[in-house]
Amino acid sequence: MGHGKVSNNVKLLYLDGKSAQVQHKQKAISSGADGTIYASVDGKLALKIYHDPTKDMQRQDKLWQMLAHAPTTAGFCWPIAVVSDKKNNFIGYAMPLLDLSSCHTLEMLLSKRLRESLGITESYQFRVTVAINLASKVAELHRLGHHIIDLKPANLSFDQHTGEVVILDCDGFSIQGKNKRFKGHQYTAGYIAPEAFGAKITPEKLGIGQDLFALAAILFQLLNNGLHPFQGVSRNGKLLPSDNQAKITAGLYAYAKKPHAKIKPSPWSIHTDFPEALSQAFTQSLISKLRTKASVWQQLLSAQSLQLKVCQQDANHAYWQKNCPHCQLHQSRAKVQKKTKGNNNTSAKQPSGLNAQQQSANNQTHPRTVNPSSVIMAIIVITLAIITLYSCSGSESVIKQNNSSQSPTNSNADDTAITNDRVKFTYKAAPELTVAHSLSGNVTYKSRGITSRRDSEILAEIPFYQLSAFDSAADFPLIKYSPFGAISPSVSPEVSLKKIDFEMTGSEVAKLAHRTDRLYRLDDWQYDRHNNHAYVYNCKYSPGVCTHVTQMNSGKKVSYKFNDFSAEDRLPGEKVKMSEHSYRPWRFSLTGNGKKIVMMSNFELLVYDVNNSNKPIIKQKLPEKWADWNITRLLTVNNGQRLFISLAKSEKYGINYQGFVVELSLIDGVYQITTDFSRLTGANTMSGVDVATNLAGDILAIGEYVHPEINGTKYEFFSKPIEVALAYPVISLWQKTAQGWQPLQSLENKTLTVTPNQYNPAKVLVEVPSNISDTIMHMAALLTVLSDSKIVSDLGVNRGFMFNQRGNVLLTGIDAKRRGKFTDSKVSIYKLNAARNSLSLTAELEETYTSTNSSQKTLGLKEFTYLSAALSNDGTQVAFGWFVFADAKSDDWKKTLATQQYQLDLFNVNTKPVH
């Protein structure tokens, strides 16, 4: 009996007895043989409405047991409520509506052609990561007593950026209830265990044994370029069954250590590269009933992934044994193509002995030809230089510009302002975004006790202003600071925002406590969206260095120590020979899955497992030739298997600026240089200002300077003329290809570069971005010479920029200028289509912020302005904010008060290009 037309108003019944009304959209997301899936109007739920709810009388009871025995981890389309119609008739169930915009079924990952067409990474390490995540999901279900039964690539989804796995169609599983097991009736040929198919019994009767067979088959495909474990070549011309399931039943597994009498491995297999432990686990699971458990697969794959070596010819390749099998496969393929070249037949000949099914599989799985020698290997040859106090950061803070113009102008700039071989500045009018939501506020504080520093200076050392990348307006991460000790609020119980409430709820991930002997720097705080943790720099007031990364959430504080810091009392800029374990400025980066923290200075690299803060799992020295360079940015890719580091240095006021970017890969437990971008064609010696990448790590943006000049007439320091370096800030774009990293170029073979988007762009002061750890002391030094307002932080088009996760939307850094009490700021949004070699300006975001404290009450007192912008992970929203810390006089002018102002704006981004 069919259910008939479905009303879009339904009732949700929860396990705790609560109920709710919900409305779903009329248009279905998808429809199958069993039911139709709709999205709720609020976009939070997916509702599966069965075509015939009465078909299986145990279905409703099974769903209630699924609610009572649900997995505790994410990664399952698991029911959260039972759905009934207006008459309280059972019709289906509700589950969270997952964001599958960057997800594909596992079938897409197993085919090279599909990976290429969908833009999925070719990284072998990525496939290993997916395998680990799949094993962990199956292990979680088995821990609860559930069996999937119909485990196959089509029922598995993966995120092409993170490698996280989601298991679909969970209502078809065999579910272990409180006192009863509910059957799973679905299964698919090609993944049925031989003892079930051969004995003509249903796979569900095998239970966990069926799951473990299918799991081993899928893991084999992930690790063997999509090749099914029962595909192979006839040995001695013997006739083989035509389909994989028949081969499974016959035990025709060709990849065991002991050769099979009838079948031998496919010529496109790379199974000989597998470690012995993996080979044994596959053989045991695929030709015997003593199969490897999912939890053991997870542990085994995790351990073996650490032993992977990155190929020197292609960083997408990774392998375990002596030689790269992927390169050998390419060479074999090239030989086949060479032999068949000129053949009048429309299809190339395959190696002899392959049947039609195997030919089809090979066409899907083996890679195209790549010339490995086209990749230029990294050899860093860098001359040493001395970094003075003002080369680290802030040189713009202590030098003033005269009224004369900074750079030449071009009055006829309708098409272009400046042109040369490398970069062309053009002017394009872009629509200014309008504010979708906004929040602003004021907080005033009063002194408590005697302090030698002004209250605003104390606050300025806790710049909790920086915005983090966020998933959506409904999930905006926020750190709050609760002061006690030197200051106390006179209006609000907390310094920072109690919540962000412009149709977006602030997710409080940490509450920082201010003490007289510790402080936290949030210039580069990072958010773990998987576990809702914040990671911040933990520092000391005296001598003012950062020594730890601290994990903070609502009730827990864990710290990871960077170094021994035996020379903490060394002041920045002093020419004192540093001992091996002395303090050096450093940065950290959290891996995409939130499981590891990587820390790096110009001397040493450490990696911690976040679950063990006692001892790093990796500790290694870095090249001595980096000793005089600043680490300007550290990024992790593929959950720490690859790193991107930007380094830079200069003399006073940016003179003799140099910079470069390197890619490191984890090989045999040690990070090794696999790409030095300064050695590649199209590289710029004034690089390394900053770096950003997409989640897959195959699109890279590098902050740079171009057209430098030494100017000795326009700037002064304490009223004396000084020489400074001026240049244009730009961002270069790179893409990882089969031939290695290449600069992105337009169809006209022009380098795609983000340049100043304005008439007659002015050159800016060349600066090396400040380093974490010594910035605090540097700020303290600057405070002695400042008497007016200051824009704090490293700002500029070519720093602080970021990609969305896909890498098709780029948010530039902030271009900011101060005009008395006004702060002008601008960022631009670009749409990048790497496949079509196009870069388009889509919008500009311009704001002028005015401090209401900039009145006669603050005359002669200090004020600090912090600006920050962040892009949502999907690239559809931009958050832009400013935070002002200032001293102000009380109404009777008898007291100096500390004040904080803030304004946050949220913009919706339409990434249609500007024509």
Side-chain angles (χ1 to χ4, degrees):
M1 177 180 172
H3 183 67
K5 187 176 181 180
V6 179
S7 168
N8 65 339
N9 290 295
V10 296
K11 184 178 182 180
L12 304 183
L13 304 173
Y14 293 94
L15 187 64
D16 59 4
K18 295 181 180 179
S19 63
Q21 296 289 331
V22 69
Q23 187 178 37
H24 67 74
K25 298 178 181 178
Q26 292 287 2
K27 186 177 180 180
I29 297 176
S30 63
S31 184
D34 207 27
T36 303
I37 298 178
Y38 301 90
S40 62
V41 173
D42 61 9
K44 295 181 179 180
L45 297 175
L47 309 176
K48 183 170 183 178
I49 309 299
Y50 292 115
H51 298 317
D52 186 359
T54 63
K55 181 179 180 180
D56 184 352
M57 301 306 296
Q58 292 189 336
R59 181 178 276 164
Q60 185 175 359
D61 191 16
K62 179 181 180 179
L63 287 170
W64 282 114
Q65 291 298 320
M66 291 184 74
L67 297 182
H69 301 88
T72 57
T73 59
F76 305 92
C77 289
W78 203 266
I80 61 170
V82 171
V83 176
S84 65
D85 60 15
K86 294 180 180 179
K87 297 181 180 180
N88 292 324
N89 296 315
F90 164 72
I91 59 173
Y93 66 91
M95 54 189 164
L97 181 61
L98 302 179
D99 180 11
L100 300 178
S101 59
S102 62
C103 293
H104 307 281
T105 61
L106 207 61
E107 294 170 312
M108 309 305 174
L109 187 61
L110 300 179
S111 166
K112 180 175 178 62
R113 290 182 179 179
L114 290 176
R115 290 196 300 270
E116 290 178 341
S117 65
L118 295 171
I120 301 171
T121 178
E122 283 297 313
S123 167
Y124 187 75
Q125 174 62 51
F126 179 81
R127 275 170 265 166
V128 174
T129 298
V130 172
I132 296 170
N133 292 335
L134 171 59
S136 70
K137 297 296 185 297
V138 177
E140 170 70 4
L141 288 174
H142 288 174
R143 183 183 65 81
L144 296 169
H146 306 319
H147 305 149
I148 301 174
I149 307 301
D150 195 23
L151 180 57
K152 59 183 178 182
N155 282 352
L156 301 169
S157 175
F158 74 97
D159 189 302
Q160 73 176 66
H161 302 306
T162 66
E164 290 297 328
V165 172
V166 176
I167 300 183
L168 312 174
D169 294 338
C170 297
D171 59 327
F173 294 175
S174 172
I175 298 298
Q176 180 59 57
K178 185 176 182 181
N179 299 307
K180 179 182 178 180
R181 174 169 289 280
F182 295 85
K183 296 180 179 180
H185 301 294
Q186 300 171 349
Y187 39 88
T188 302
Y191 296 94
I192 301 174
E195 64 267 31
F197 197 85
K200 296 182 179 180
I201 62 175
T202 57
E204 67 190 47
K205 291 184 178 181
L206 296 184
I208 194 172
Q210 167 60 34
D211 280 5
L212 297 181
F213 177 83
L215 175 63
I218 296 171
L219 295 177
F220 185 94
Q221 289 181 275
L222 281 168
L223 269 58
N224 205 4
N225 290 332
L227 193 70
H228 192 282
F230 287 87
Q231 286 179 319
V233 179
S234 173
R235 191 183 294 275
N236 300 323
K238 294 184 178 181
L239 186 63
L240 299 178
S242 60
D243 63 275
N244 289 333
Q245 188 60 57
K247 294 192 187 82
I248 291 172
T249 305
L252 297 177
Y253 178 67
Y255 306 95
K257 199 169 185 180
K258 183 178 179 180
H260 195 282
K262 294 184 178 181
I263 192 170
K264 59 183 179 180
S266 165
W268 310 114
S269 174
I270 60 171
H271 71 285
T272 55
D273 183 61
F274 294 169
E276 181 64 22
L278 288 180
S279 296
Q280 290 180 0
F282 280 126
T283 300
Q284 176 179 301
S285 299
L286 294 168
I287 64 174
S288 78
K289 297 180 182 179
L290 299 175
R291 297 182 176 122
T292 304
K293 293 182 179 180
S295 58
V296 176
W297 273 119
Q298 180 186 359
Q299 297 170 7
L300 181 60
L301 290 166
S302 297
Q304 294 300 328
S305 70
L306 299 177
Q307 305 304 317
L308 275 170
K309 294 173 282 191
V310 177
C311 176
Q312 299 296 311
Q313 303 299 320
D314 189 335
N316 275 325
H317 296 174
Y319 61 98
W320 281 287
Q321 306 301 339
K322 293 183 179 180
N323 299 310
C324 176
H326 309 281
C327 290
Q328 293 173 346
L329 199 62
H330 286 174
Q331 293 168 3
S332 298
R333 177 60 175 164
K335 291 179 181 178
V336 172
Q337 290 178 335
K338 186 175 181 180
K339 287 181 180 180
T340 58
K341 188 176 182 179
N343 195 321
N344 293 328
N345 295 331
T346 57
S347 60
K349 294 181 180 179
Q350 298 289 341
S352 60
L354 291 179
N355 59 32
Q357 180 185 0
Q358 292 156 354
Q359 291 180 24
S360 176
N362 291 335
N363 286 339
Q364 290 185 357
T365 59
H366 58 70
R368 295 181 180 176
T369 306
V370 173
N371 182 8
S373 63
S374 65
V375 180
I376 303 175
M377 300 313 300
I379 303 173
I380 300 179
V381 181
I382 303 165
T383 58
L384 300 178
I386 299 174
I387 301 178
T388 64
L389 171 63
Y390 298 110
S391 69
C392 294
S393 69
S395 57
E396 186 175 1
S397 305
V398 294
I399 55 181
K400 295 183 178 180
Q401 181 186 1
N402 289 333
N403 292 328
S404 56
S405 174
Q406 279 191 1
S407 58
T409 61
N410 180 358
S411 58
N412 300 316
D414 293 338
D415 300 297
T416 178
I418 297 174
T419 305
N420 77 357
D421 293 337
R422 192 176 190 285
V423 64
K424 179 181 179 181
F425 298 100
T426 58
Y427 179 83
K428 291 183 179 180
E432 296 182 10
L433 297 181
T434 57
V435 178
H437 309 292
S438 185
L439 175 70
S440 60
N442 258 298
V443 182
T444 304
Y445 307 89
K446 59 184 178 182
S447 299
R448 189 175 78 182
I450 299 174
T451 175
S452 60
R453 291 179 293 179
R454 294 182 176 181
D455 295 328
S456 64
E457 295 176 16
I458 298 173
L459 286 175
E461 291 184 344
I462 318 293
F464 56 93
Y465 64 93
Q466 181 161 322
L467 305 176
S468 171
F470 55 100
D471 276 342
S472 67
D475 186 17
F476 196 95
L478 173 68
I479 289 183
K480 298 201 292 185
Y481 162 60
S482 299
F484 60 88
I487 57 176
S488 64
S490 60
V491 177
S492 170
E494 292 178 337
V495 171
S496 74
L497 313 181
K498 184 126 181 135
K499 71 172 183 176
I500 294 179
D501 190 17
F502 37 96
E503 294 185 14
M504 57 191 272
T505 302
S507 175
E508 181 184 335
V509 296
K511 186 176 289 188
L512 304 178
H514 179 260
R515 296 175 173 83
T516 56
D517 62 336
R518 305 296 289 181
L519 69 146
Y520 306 102
R521 285 205 64 79
L522 304 186
D523 289 37
D524 191 23
W525 76 277
Q526 297 180 33
Y527 173 54
D528 175 15
R529 55 202 285 260
H530 301 285
N531 301 300
N532 200 39
H533 289 162
Y535 289 84
V536 302
Y537 289 93
N538 205 176
C539 315
K540 294 183 177 181
Y541 273 117
S542 178
V545 297
C546 301
T547 58
H548 293 71
V549 168
T550 295
Q551 177 202 92
M552 307 198 71
N553 58 16
S554 296
K556 181 178 172 184
K557 174 181 174 181
V558 180
S559 292
Y560 309 85
K561 189 175 183 180
F562 178 66
N563 209 322
D564 294 334
F565 296 97
S566 60
E568 282 185 350
D569 56 347
R570 185 185 68 82
L571 294 175
E574 285 188 349
K575 298 179 181 180
V576 178
K577 183 176 177 59
M578 295 180 292
S579 67
E580 184 175 300
H581 297 290
S582 62
Y583 145 71
R584 303 199 185 189
W586 56 280
R587 291 187 180 272
F588 82 94
S589 182
L590 183 69
T591 58
N593 59 6
K595 294 181 179 180
K596 294 184 179 67
I597 294 176
V598 182
M599 305 176 179
M600 174 181 281
S601 69
N602 57 10
F603 162 75
E604 187 175 31
L605 185 152
L606 279 74
V607 181
Y608 280 93
D609 184 321
V610 296
N611 295 319
N612 183 8
S613 61
N614 297 323
K615 184 179 180 181
I617 56 177
I618 296 177
K619 185 174 182 178
Q620 69 179 78
K621 290 184 179 180
L622 296 173
E624 292 184 4
K625 57 186 69 178
W626 292 2
D628 290 329
W629 296 73
N630 284 0
I631 304 289
T632 59
R633 184 72 66 188
L634 166 64
L635 301 175
T636 61
V637 175
N638 291 352
N639 297 325
Q641 291 297 316
R642 289 191 291 146
L643 308 177
F644 289 102
I645 305 102
S646 54
L647 303 98
K649 67 177 180 179
S650 71
E651 298 172 26
K652 279 187 177 182
Y653 315 128
I655 295 175
N656 293 329
Y657 178 97
Q658 302 172 67
F660 65 100
V661 173
V662 293
E663 178 187 32
L664 304 183
S665 299
L666 189 60
I667 304 173
D668 292 333
V670 177
Y671 283 100
Q672 299 182 21
I673 300 171
T674 49
T675 307
D676 175 3
F677 285 82
S678 68
R679 293 288 175 178
L680 302 185
T681 303
N684 176 14
T685 57
M686 296 188 71
S687 184
V689 180
D690 206 342
V691 65
T693 182
N694 63 341
L695 197 58
D698 53 11
I699 300 291
L700 198 67
I702 300 177
E704 302 179 338
Y705 291 108
V706 294
H707 308 316
E709 69 174 69
I710 303 301
N711 190 302
T713 60
K714 297 182 175 66
Y715 288 84
E716 60 183 29
F717 177 61
F718 287 113
S719 301
K720 293 183 178 180
I722 57 172
E723 287 189 339
V724 302
L726 302 176
Y728 295 107
V730 299
I731 303 172
S732 67
L733 300 172
W734 297 73
Q735 181 180 25
K736 192 172 189 178
T737 68
Q739 288 75 39
W741 284 99
Q742 304 286 342
L744 276 169
Q745 294 184 323
S746 67
L747 297 178
E748 296 79 23
N749 294 322
K750 295 181 180 179
T751 302
L752 297 182
T753 307
V754 176
T755 62
N757 186 49
Q758 55 188 329
Y759 284 113
N760 304 320
K763 290 185 176 181
V764 300
L765 285 157
V766 173
E767 291 184 281
V768 175
S770 61
N771 261 276
I772 298 299
S773 292
D774 64 349
T775 309
I776 299 164
M777 293 203 66
H778 198 72
M779 183 186 297
L782 296 179
L783 292 176
T784 62
V785 297
L786 293 177
S787 60
D788 54 5
S789 60
K790 163 82 170 85
I791 300 177
V792 184
S793 182
D794 291 313
L795 299 178
V797 172
N798 58 351
R799 60 188 68 190
F801 48 86
M802 62 192 305
F803 275 118
N804 65 336
Q805 290 186 337
R806 287 184 60 190
N808 65 334
V809 180
L810 174 70
L811 176 72
T812 66
I814 300 174
D815 183 15
K817 296 178 178 62
R818 193 64 181 261
R819 299 180 292 109
K821 66 178 182 178
F822 301 103
T823 300
D824 298 329
S825 57
K826 181 177 77 171
V827 294
S828 300
I829 297 98
Y830 285 83
K831 180 69 177 293
L832 173 65
N833 189 326
R836 296 184 178 180
N837 299 308
S838 67
L839 178 70
S840 305
L841 176 68
T842 62
E844 287 183 334
L845 196 162
E846 295 188 74
E847 291 288 335
T848 297
Y849 300 122
T850 305
S851 171
T852 56
N853 286 327
S854 296
S855 63
Q856 60 176 359
K857 291 176 63 177
T858 61
L859 186 64
L861 303 177
K862 294 184 178 66
E863 180 178 296
F864 306 95
T865 302
Y866 296 84
L867 300 174
S868 184
L871 183 68
S872 65
N873 288 323
D874 62 4
T876 63
Q877 293 178 317
V878 172
F880 203 6
W882 60 269
F883 301 77
V884 175
F885 302 93
D887 287 331
K889 287 294 185 181
S890 59
D891 292 335
D892 57 6
W893 285 84
K894 293 182 178 180
K895 294 181 179 179
T896 300
L897 304 176
T899 64
Q900 176 203 3
Q901 286 181 270
Y902 56 83
Q903 179 171 329
L904 292 176
D905 298 316
L906 183 71
F907 301 82
N908 294 326
V909 178
N910 182 356
T911 53
K912 290 183 179 179
V914 177
H915 298 290

